Amino acid sequence: MSSVKDILIELGYSLVEDKNGWRTNALYRGGNNNSALKIFENGSFCDFVEGTTGGFRKLIELTLNIHKPEEIDKFLEKNNFSANDIERTEKPIIKIPKIYPPEILNELIPDHSYWLNRGISLETISVFRGGLANKGMLKGRYVTPIFNEYNEIIGFAGRDITGKSSIRWKILSPKSNFLWCIHLNKEVIKQEKKVILVESIGCGLSLWECGIKNFLCLFGIKMSLSVLNALLRLDPDQIIVSINSDTVGSRAADDIYNKLARYFDFRQLRTHLPPLKDWNECLKKDPQIIKDWAKTL
């Protein structure tokens, strides 16, 4: 009998071992980022770029661009994958929200050289209480703790700083629950009545460095239900979509705008991308670029 891994290789995926599965590129959309797609040992998957998730059959359907169940069955039968295995892979993965003890941050090493080298000051870095992990699943990564609105730690985002890992970011806990950094800026957003949606932690830190604190991080180019619900509660006068201004980001910004338009008046919405690829690139070139951009809001 073939395994899930055997089928994935047959489909053309180049697999990199990861916890409970593999990382690879999203073949079904022509992606070339070999860490953008996480496939679990049971065949379920999560596309970190597009936010797509599903079971093994859905992955096969996307990859082969087939839409009839009998065609998927035929492919699996041809590759000697049993019906029992199919049933097992379709069982949902239940994720229970977890609150981490604050003492866990004491284990982080105060080595902030990665962000310092990217133009973020120690004053800004210290606000977010991150550090270098020297053990565990995020060993060798700069770790940013993710807090909820009640100042409880609900996850971590770890950035590889060695340059040796093909996986730049590792996220612990479902990022669909993340509202970074609402524990610090909720009142700022309420006061200014504006929210800037950015793509990454680096973009958020870059804005904060320039005194712009009314942002929420999407952790990618899709808007989660948690972010949408937060925006509905806050009901700001302006929501500015400002994710990365590359080709993928520009298309995704339109998708986010259109999704927001179902819930907000068009006068509340605006797409205003960074002048350079992302906000950290702007900061490294000249912080004044960000400050001038902010004056146009």
Side-chain angles (χ1 to χ4, degrees):
M1 288 291 178
S2 296
S3 65
V4 167
K5 185 175 183 179
D6 294 332
I7 298 297
L8 293 173
I9 293 173
E10 175 66 23
L11 289 169
Y13 287 100
S14 297
L15 304 175
V16 177
E17 295 291 332
D18 193 35
K19 180 178 174 59
N20 299 325
W22 309 272
R23 288 289 190 101
T24 184
N25 59 314
L27 289 177
Y28 51 82
R29 56 176 174 79
N32 56 14
N33 181 342
N34 62 2
S35 65
L37 185 67
K38 171 67 180 275
I39 306 176
F40 295 90
E41 292 172 350
N42 69 353
S44 61
F45 71 97
C46 178
D47 187 331
F48 293 112
V49 173
E50 293 199 338
T52 308
T53 61
F56 196 32
R57 293 181 67 93
K58 182 175 179 179
L59 180 61
I60 294 170
E61 176 184 340
L62 290 171
T63 306
L64 296 178
N65 193 27
I66 55 179
H67 307 290
K68 295 181 179 180
E70 57 268 25
E71 292 180 347
I72 298 174
D73 293 339
K74 185 177 180 180
F75 169 80
L76 292 170
E77 183 179 352
K78 177 183 176 183
N79 287 277
N80 200 26
F81 194 82
S82 76
N84 290 334
D85 289 334
I86 298 171
E87 182 180 352
R88 187 179 69 245
T89 62
E90 296 305 309
K91 292 181 180 179
I93 298 175
I94 300 173
K95 296 180 179 180
I96 301 173
K98 180 177 181 179
I99 302 296
Y100 294 84
E103 295 79 16
I104 199 170
L105 300 184
N106 296 333
E107 300 177 7
L108 298 177
I109 300 171
D111 179 351
H112 310 295
S113 54
Y114 175 78
W115 290 119
L116 290 170
N117 291 334
R118 301 188 72 84
I120 310 298
S121 68
L122 188 58
E123 180 181 3
T124 293
I125 292 169
S126 62
V127 172
F128 296 91
R129 303 176 64 185
L132 183 65
N134 68 344
K135 62 180 180 179
M137 294 175 60
L138 299 179
K139 181 178 180 180
R141 294 174 179 270
Y142 188 91
V143 174
T144 300
I146 309 299
F147 293 83
N148 62 17
E149 295 183 60
Y150 309 103
N151 217 35
E152 299 170 320
I153 301 173
I154 60 170
F156 301 91
R159 178 61 162 87
D160 174 59
I161 63 173
T162 65
K164 297 178 181 179
S165 176
S166 60
I167 303 171
R168 290 185 297 175
W169 286 93
K170 278 190 175 181
I171 306 293
L172 293 189
S173 296
K175 67 177 183 179
S176 58
N177 296 329
F178 292 178
L179 284 175
W180 191 80
C181 54
I182 202 165
H183 70 295
L184 296 173
N185 63 7
K186 184 177 181 179
E187 294 306 315
V188 175
I189 292 172
K190 285 183 176 180
Q191 181 177 350
E192 298 196 13
K193 297 185 182 299
K194 296 179 183 178
V195 179
I196 304 166
L197 302 180
V198 300
E199 185 168 330
S200 68
I201 286 177
C203 287
L205 292 176
S206 299
L207 293 186
W208 192 285
E209 181 69 21
C210 294
I212 304 166
K213 301 179 180 180
N214 55 321
F215 62 85
L216 290 176
C217 179
L218 301 181
F219 292 90
I221 60 173
K222 293 285 186 178
M223 181 177 61
S224 69
L225 185 59
S226 293
V227 171
L228 176 59
N229 286 337
L231 293 173
L232 289 169
R233 293 197 307 271
L234 294 165
D235 194 25
D237 292 342
Q238 285 192 58
I239 302 172
I240 300 102
V241 181
S242 192
I243 60 177
N244 294 0
S245 56
D246 51 20
T247 302
V248 174
S250 297
R251 290 199 301 265
D254 291 337
D255 291 340
I256 294 170
Y257 181 97
N258 291 334
K259 185 174 183 179
L260 288 168
R262 302 173 194 167
Y263 304 93
F264 297 92
D265 189 280
F266 75 94
R267 288 168 292 188
Q268 294 175 270
L269 306 177
R270 184 178 180 186
T271 298
H272 198 14
L273 303 183
L276 302 179
K277 179 184 176 182
D278 60 47
W279 287 120
N280 192 242
E281 290 297 318
C282 293
L283 179 71
K284 289 190 295 181
K285 184 171 183 179
D286 186 352
Q288 193 62 42
I289 294 175
I290 298 178
K291 295 175 183 178
D292 290 342
W293 176 87
K295 293 176 183 177
T296 67
L297 299 179

